[in-house]
Amino acid sequence: MYRTLLGVLASLAVALAVAGLTFTASVEQSADFRFINGTEPRSLDPGLITGQPEGRVARAIFEGLARLEARTLAPVPGAAASWEISPDGRTYTFHLRPDATWSDGRPVTAHDFAWSWRRLQDPALGAEYAYIVHMIRHARAFNLYGGHAEALAGPIAGALDALRREHSGGLEVSDWQAFVREHGLNELLKGTRNATLQASLLRQQGRIEADELAAVSAALPGEAAHRRALFEEAARRYGIDAGVFARDDWTLVVELEAPTPYFLELCTFYSTLPVPRHVVEVHPDDWFLPDTIVSNGPFVLADWRVGDRIRLERSESYWGRDQVGLASIDVLPVENATTSLNLYLTGAVDWLPGNYPSDLVEPLARRPDFYSGPGMIVYYYRLNTRRPPLDDPRVRLALNLAIDRELIVREVTRLGQVPAAHIVPPGMPGYESPESPVRTDLAEARRLLAEAGYPGGRGMRELGILYNTQEGHKKIAEVIADQLRRNLGLDVRAYNQEWQSYLASGQAGEYDVMRAGWIGDYLDPNTFLDMWISNGGNNQTGWSHARFDRLIQAAADVEGFSTGLADLDAGDGRVRSRLEGLQRAGDAAERRRAGAALRLELLRQAEAILVQELPILPIYFYVVSGLVNPQVEGFYSELSLPDGSRIPNLQDLHPLRAIRMARGEEAR
């Protein structure tokens, strides 16, 4: 029997008293609106943040060229009052608001955006999310090609010479692919138009003969020189007079390599938010802290007490301040699910997104202030393919086959989550998921493990499952560790780290198996797939695959890659068929439709590779849920479309600009 909520409150009073000590002092002057943010942000620098806790705050204190309208989550004018898109979909011209200012009174200009977007791509910044706008002309070259050129001309050339000396008679493709992985050649040579280099990356069978190795070696200096030239041109021009640039103080021009259907959504994303150059250059390391920060959004950062709260206050310099309904917001970094629920049920916070004890799902779901619906979010584990035995695809598949996902969603999460066999959630318009080998099959899992040299788990070292501190993650990690022990005889240990340490471990590759979750940045399968490109900032598994990279790159520009797309067909004829449809297309509208169908097929083929290679353990697709005070207005768990239909708020995004409080007697 489930306990009543009154009983829960009584039994958990001590937990609230202990875990809420620092918060208690701050609620004496509580904000208009208060919510649980899950964890302490590691930064508020839009160029460096990658997580939802940071993103919620950044989107409140900064504003991009566009912003999300709360009822629809459609991009609408933000810092830019309007824009035009060229007929070919490759050039966007944004007209900034003359009344948009920074919080110190300076005007927000097109030069601020051009500088900020150049900074995002600057290799010195090391932005993990730089790739998200690599469709902009010169962006990728500026971000990556200088380092690529140095590596190809130096360490890679030397390593290849050593490989040729060691294998003067040639080598097996498996040994060659191991060399490719070890030295990151898929990333360093991604996008090459050199046929010799392309062919070497894509080889999966047979032998690489000595003359082929010699040809690859001979091609490297030219590729390095080509990338060096592209980098130097991009360094001269990107953010200055090409790619993204200010035509004048109020006009920003963005040039894309290819039409990108979700580009305006990216203009609302936190990585593309502007930063104040005049402050960043003076305080490069701590410019985003309360004493120094200057921002341009509907709120300003008034206070940041680590472990207690972030206080946001309405910006009096914001162009749309009359449309902002809250004078103040408290953002609470509470990770403990019990404490979070107590804070909500006692009226200390107004919004609790998701983080509550899983054994209370059923009684909570009966409350009128509870909301839930399908989410554009996947819960998965990364597998560190740089570490044996996880570098063996047989071991990775065995782990996947030994997990009972149905049990996890039925007994642990309990909110109707859908077991995942893919990385792309269902519901993406026009997208068809590929076949996946992911299922529960203990006999096949044990066979694969034995084939890999670990019969009954013998001979395999201990594996660690890293999760960030939160009760729900702990329960899932412990269940999976137990399943792997019982089903495969493995020695598995689940362990936790606080958010910042957890992120650092992922970036450094210091883990075996690592909990992760991905919220789609825009409504398109690409947001779940392009992160797995070789050495992608959010990949962090060490996995790379040349054909996968080419498919993602081709999907980004089907017109530009049309002459080579037939080579990317998986053998089922689907790419060729859609390519022929594009080639037959007559008018521009038909060509756009055919190109869109081809693009989605290329993405489907890419996901097919991902779920065959499995550098991940997909666990489930989220149901977004939470508790929200009935007095909160401007909060939409369902979205309204222009045709009058309604769809779930798949991303659980709720722009704070639109929130208002109708304070009265609060129903708890």
Side-chain angles (χ1 to χ4, degrees):
M1 293 289 291
Y2 286 97
R3 295 168 288 174
T4 66
L5 290 180
L6 288 176
V8 171
L9 282 174
S11 65
L12 301 181
V14 173
L16 177 60
V18 174
L21 283 177
T22 58
F23 177 75
T24 303
S26 65
V27 295
E28 295 174 2
Q29 297 178 333
S30 61
D32 291 349
F33 178 70
R34 301 144 302 189
F35 71 92
I36 300 293
N37 202 33
T39 192
E40 193 76 60
R42 63 168 177 164
S43 173
L44 293 178
D45 184 336
L48 294 176
I49 62 179
T50 61
Q52 186 183 56
E54 295 86 356
R56 285 191 185 117
V57 179
R59 278 172 152 159
I61 61 178
F62 296 98
E63 183 172 78
L65 294 165
R67 60 181 177 84
L68 295 175
E69 199 280 321
R71 288 181 182 273
T72 65
L73 292 188
V76 296
S82 63
W83 51 77
E84 296 99 37
I85 307 172
S86 63
D88 65 1
R90 294 173 184 259
T91 303
Y92 287 67
T93 303
F94 294 91
H95 304 284
L96 271 70
R97 299 178 184 275
D99 58 343
T101 64
W102 294 103
S103 53
D104 62 1
R106 294 196 186 201
V108 177
T109 71
H111 301 284
D112 291 317
F113 276 93
W115 186 83
S116 298
W117 287 22
R118 178 181 172 92
R119 174 179 180 262
L120 180 68
Q121 300 303 323
D122 192 329
L125 183 66
E128 294 176 54
Y129 248 131
Y131 71 86
I132 201 168
V133 288
H134 276 180
M135 76 289 293
I136 300 177
R137 183 183 172 206
H138 293 309
R140 176 178 169 81
F142 180 45
N143 184 229
L144 297 175
Y145 282 4
H148 287 187
E150 290 182 9
L152 291 172
I156 299 302
L160 186 56
D161 285 344
L163 184 72
R164 291 175 61 199
R165 289 193 297 271
E166 183 180 353
H167 298 275
S168 58
L171 71 166
E172 296 296 324
V173 162
S174 58
D175 294 326
W176 166 247
Q177 288 297 337
F179 177 86
V180 168
R181 290 191 298 272
E182 179 183 356
H183 295 281
L185 287 188
N186 283 332
E187 164 62 13
L188 293 173
L189 296 174
K190 185 167 55 183
T192 181
R193 298 302 176 92
N194 183 288
T196 297
L197 296 176
Q198 284 183 356
S200 71
L201 294 176
L202 293 170
R203 284 286 298 277
Q204 297 295 324
Q205 296 179 339
R207 286 179 56 82
I208 302 289
E209 302 299 340
D211 58 343
E212 293 179 82
L213 284 179
V216 170
S217 181
L220 284 184
E223 185 68 24
H226 177 61
R227 293 187 181 232
R228 169 60 63 182
L230 291 175
F231 166 75
E232 290 175 350
E233 181 185 10
R236 287 194 306 269
R237 304 193 62 189
Y238 184 75
I240 299 170
D241 65 1
V244 55
F245 61 94
R247 182 176 292 165
D248 54 48
D249 286 350
W250 313 114
T251 309
L252 185 78
V253 178
V254 182
E255 302 170 323
L256 305 185
E257 296 281 3
T260 304
Y262 50 85
F263 180 70
L264 283 177
E265 288 184 70
L266 294 183
C267 293
T268 75
F269 192 61
Y270 43 78
S271 299
T272 64
L273 299 174
V275 298
R277 179 178 184 177
H278 61 286
V279 179
V280 175
E281 290 185 333
V282 176
H283 303 280
D285 298 323
D286 59 0
W287 68 268
F288 53 84
L289 298 180
D291 290 341
T292 52
I293 191 170
V294 170
S295 59
N296 75 318
F299 297 91
V300 295
L301 178 66
D303 195 13
W304 186 353
R305 302 179 189 175
V306 175
D308 179 11
R309 68 171 183 180
I310 289 175
R311 170 61 66 90
L312 307 179
E313 295 180 353
R314 180 167 48 213
S315 173
E316 294 306 313
S317 63
Y318 177 60
W319 65 269
R321 58 189 172 277
D322 294 341
Q323 303 166 27
V324 179
L326 299 171
S328 58
I329 299 172
D330 277 340
V331 184
L332 308 186
V334 182
E335 296 180 342
N336 183 276
T338 296
T339 303
S340 296
L341 181 59
N342 267 296
L343 289 170
Y344 178 81
L345 293 176
T346 56
V349 298
D350 302 294
W351 177 33
L352 171 56
N355 186 25
Y356 44 78
S358 60
D359 60 347
L360 296 178
V361 167
E362 291 187 16
L364 289 173
R366 293 193 290 268
R367 292 174 57 95
D369 52 351
F370 183 86
Y371 69 93
S372 69
M376 196 171 73
I377 313 173
V378 61
Y379 193 103
Y380 66 96
Y381 282 4
R382 293 185 178 101
L383 300 177
N384 192 343
T385 66
R386 292 159 293 204
R387 290 183 173 182
L390 299 174
D391 58 341
D392 189 328
R394 295 169 297 184
V395 173
R396 301 198 297 265
L397 179 54
L399 297 183
N400 269 280
L401 296 176
I403 295 173
D404 187 342
R405 294 162 177 81
E406 291 282 355
L407 181 145
I408 291 170
V409 301
R410 184 179 67 249
E411 302 293 337
V412 182
T413 60
R414 298 182 174 184
L415 199 61
Q417 289 89 347
V418 178
H422 300 84
I423 198 72
V424 178
M428 292 291 174
Y431 184 71
E432 176 189 351
S433 297
E435 292 186 9
S436 171
V438 175
R439 62 194 188 279
T440 303
D441 187 337
L442 301 187
E444 178 64 6
R446 291 163 182 157
R447 187 194 68 78
L448 285 167
L449 205 62
E451 182 181 300
Y454 307 102
R458 294 186 296 276
M460 185 179 293
R461 64 175 177 81
E462 178 190 72
L463 295 178
I465 297 179
L466 169 63
Y467 62 92
N468 58 296
T469 304
Q470 192 183 89
E471 289 175 45
H473 301 328
K474 177 182 179 181
K475 289 181 179 180
I476 294 172
E478 290 177 343
V479 167
I480 289 176
D482 182 64
Q483 290 182 350
L484 295 178
R485 280 192 293 265
R486 288 188 295 104
N487 295 337
L488 297 181
L490 301 180
D491 185 7
V492 183
R493 175 178 63 94
Y495 67 102
N496 68 300
Q497 291 179 347
E498 298 303 316
W499 182 245
Q500 287 82 0
S501 298
Y502 158 86
L503 292 175
S505 294
Q507 292 163 4
E510 295 176 351
Y511 71 92
D512 293 322
V513 181
M514 179 181 182
R515 185 216 75 84
W518 192 256
I519 304 171
D521 299 323
Y522 43 88
L523 189 61
D524 190 276
N526 188 71
T527 187
F528 290 92
L529 293 172
D530 70 345
M531 63 186 289
W532 302 106
I533 58 174
S534 298
N535 204 35
N538 289 306
N539 181 332
Q540 299 180 6
T541 66
W543 178 78
S544 68
H545 194 285
R547 186 167 174 270
F548 179 92
D549 290 348
R550 289 190 68 200
L551 285 161
I552 295 297
Q553 189 174 17
D557 185 6
V558 293
E559 297 275 1
F561 277 75
S562 60
T563 57
L565 288 179
D567 295 337
L568 292 175
D569 196 284
D572 56 8
R574 294 172 62 116
V575 168
R576 290 179 182 272
S577 173
R578 286 156 181 77
L579 178 58
E580 290 169 0
L582 176 63
Q583 293 166 341
R584 289 194 305 267
D587 59 26
E590 185 181 358
R591 191 165 186 84
R592 280 195 301 272
R593 287 192 296 270
L598 174 56
R599 175 180 174 273
L600 289 176
E601 178 56 30
L602 293 168
L603 292 175
R604 192 191 75 87
Q605 301 268 8
E607 188 179 16
I609 293 172
L610 187 68
V611 296
Q612 291 296 325
E613 292 272 322
L614 289 171
I616 52 174
L617 293 170
I619 308 299
Y620 62 80
F621 297 119
Y622 273 72
V623 169
V624 297
S625 66
L627 292 151
V628 62
N629 185 343
Q631 308 299 322
V632 175
E633 299 176 346
F635 184 102
Y636 304 100
S637 57
E638 284 190 325
L639 305 177
S640 301
L641 298 184
D643 63 2
S645 62
R646 299 175 69 82
I647 62 171
N649 187 334
L650 295 172
Q651 295 168 278
D652 203 21
L653 289 177
H654 306 279
L656 295 174
R657 182 189 191 274
I659 299 294
R660 286 163 170 73
M661 295 299 298
R663 289 291 185 191
E665 184 179 353
E666 295 185 5
R668 292 291 187 190

